[in-house]
Amino acid sequence: MDRLEELVNQWVWRQDFWLPPGVTWKDIAEGSADGSHYPVPRDLLISLPLALGFIALRFVFERVVALPLSWRLGVRDRVRLRVTPVPKLEAFYLQKKQQPSPNDLLVLEKHCGLSQHQIQTWLRHRRNQDRPGNTRKFCEASWRFVFYLMAFSAALVSLIHTPWFWDHRECWRGYPRQAVAGAQYWYYIVELAFYLSLLLCVSVDIKRKDFKEQIIHHIATILLMAFSYCANYVRVGTLVMLVHDSADFLLESAKMFNYAGWRKTCDALFVVFAAVFLVTRLVVFPYRIVYTAVVDSLDVFPPYPGYYFLNGLLLVLQALHIFWAWLILRMVHKFVFLGKVERDERSDEESEADEEGGEEEHNWEQKKGALNSKLASLANNCVLNNLTNQRRKMNSRTPKAR
């Protein structure tokens, strides 16, 4: 066991890569001279079973708390058309859920005896049939809302009295001999476990247009938290997590009221969320946190591999912030000119054009039927008018003949 630990320390936790020149893991351990806790890599192992516990807790929360709450708030699922079972089309859909190619349509047309338009319509309705309902979206958003709100509130209470909360240069004072308080330790462990649970559940969660960006965000966040804890960049790490949690719970609450149909409340929360997001992610994060990690840290140690690794992850997060800010500004544009937030720009992965196409087709059939009935009524009226006029003429001619 000692030999294995020695190999891990030699190849994984290399001091010359993760730590500044002249700093060792023992130097970081000396920060506990007053009896406080100091970070060691094995502390992070507890986050793995805790992540599984979050998954189990989420399962219970969504069914015991979120589902009854959705009923009380009036969340309703849209009624979708059930397609007529066609075995060959069903097998094709389960194998390839994307849009069929022209060759696929020709093959399906021969095997199913349907026209290409009928095949495309069937596949469109089949995709819409699998789209997640508002109740499921509400439960997922409510779970994240509760966590982000509790994490942000607890972190703000524990960090607001620390010197580095107000002066970010204090993040490097006394480095690497900086003890970690119990609140900061558990803030790290709980956040890391939560993002691990999100990464483990990504295959069953609702997929959106920014699915790839979400994967990159989760991986970058997990790596950033793990590295910053092991290298004792805990002070910077807590500020990064606090900035992210400050806007996330507002977004999830806006989603909840959007799925419940509370438009005015959703619009108000969206405006607050957009303001907080743009300020914290495009101003506070790059100009305060990234700046202190890139510039202020050079007053304590020269650049080294771990320095570039840390700041590279921070820049990845900033690139994602810019991408999401662009989506938010698009929604702000719709809010200003249309008067409401129509939908989440990070909508479900399945193109909403499919569903809209189905609705347009259904509306067209209704309009077509109404138009035909009006034409028939008009034709009947014309026939009746002609018959009435002819009868009047005949009646008018009868006295003259007499």
Side-chain angles (χ1 to χ4, degrees), residues 131-132 206-212 346-352 354:
R131 290 169 65 88
I206 299 173
K207 293 183 180 180
R208 304 180 184 277
K209 288 181 179 179
D210 63 344
F211 174 75
K212 296 180 180 179
R346 305 182 307 115
S347 58
D348 304 335
E349 184 185 30
E350 296 86 353
S351 175
E352 293 198 356
D354 294 339

Side-chain angles (χ1 to χ4, degrees), residues 307-344:
Y307 166 86
Y308 296 109
F309 183 76
L310 171 69
N311 293 318
L313 292 176
L314 292 177
L315 294 178
V316 169
L317 291 180
Q318 183 57 33
L320 294 174
H321 295 165
I322 295 173
F323 169 75
W324 283 319
W326 173 70
L327 296 181
I328 291 172
L329 290 176
R330 286 181 57 183
M331 296 179 69
V332 170
H333 179 268
K334 291 181 180 180
F335 178 78
V336 171
F337 291 97
L338 299 180
K340 65 177 182 178
V341 182
E342 287 190 330
R343 61 180 177 86
D344 186 2

Side-chain angles (χ1 to χ4, degrees), residues 30 54 125 134 180 258 294 364:
E30 291 178 359
F54 269 126
H125 289 312
N134 288 335
V180 179
N258 179 43
V294 174
W364 166 245

Side-chain angles (χ1 to χ4, degrees), residues 6 27 79 116 121 178 201 205 210 255 259 265 283 314 352-353 391-392:
E6 182 180 353
D27 295 331
V79 179
Q116 293 188 10
T121 302
Q178 295 175 342
C201 295
D205 282 344
D210 63 344
K255 287 182 183 180
Y259 301 143
T265 307
V283 179
L314 292 177
E352 293 198 356
R391 188 172 182 180
R392 287 176 179 175

Side-chain angles (χ1 to χ4, degrees), residues 180-245:
V180 179
Q184 300 165 18
Y185 165 76
W186 283 110
Y187 186 34
Y188 252 87
I189 296 301
V190 171
E191 285 274 349
L192 180 59
F194 180 75
Y195 279 100
L196 283 174
S197 69
L198 293 182
L199 190 61
L200 294 175
C201 295
V202 73
S203 60
V204 297
D205 282 344
I206 299 173
K207 293 183 180 180
R208 304 180 184 277
K209 288 181 179 179
D210 63 344
F211 174 75
K212 296 180 180 179
E213 289 80 6
Q214 283 285 354
I215 295 294
I216 295 174
H217 174 267
H218 293 342
I219 294 176
T221 302
I222 291 171
L223 292 176
L224 181 61
M225 286 191 290
F227 168 69
S228 62
Y229 184 83
C230 295
N232 204 9
Y233 297 139
V234 175
R235 296 182 178 181
V236 175
T238 53
L239 296 178
V240 172
M241 293 186 292
L242 183 67
V243 166
H244 283 73
D245 292 341

Side-chain angles (χ1 to χ4, degrees), residues 108-137:
L108 292 173
E109 187 178 11
K110 293 179 181 179
H111 287 81
C112 300
L114 301 174
S115 65
Q116 293 188 10
H117 176 71
Q118 290 174 329
I119 293 173
Q120 290 177 335
T121 302
W122 190 96
L123 292 174
R124 178 171 60 247
H125 289 312
R126 183 65 180 84
R127 282 192 296 271
N128 291 336
Q129 187 175 308
D130 285 348
R131 290 169 65 88
N134 288 335
T135 301
R136 182 184 171 191
K137 295 178 181 179

Side-chain angles (χ1 to χ4, degrees), residues 14 19 32 46 68 75 88 104 183-184 190 205 274 325 338 357 384:
R14 292 179 52 185
L19 299 178
S32 61
I46 194 177
V75 179
K88 293 187 180 295
D104 294 332
Q184 300 165 18
V190 171
D205 282 344
L338 299 180
L384 291 174

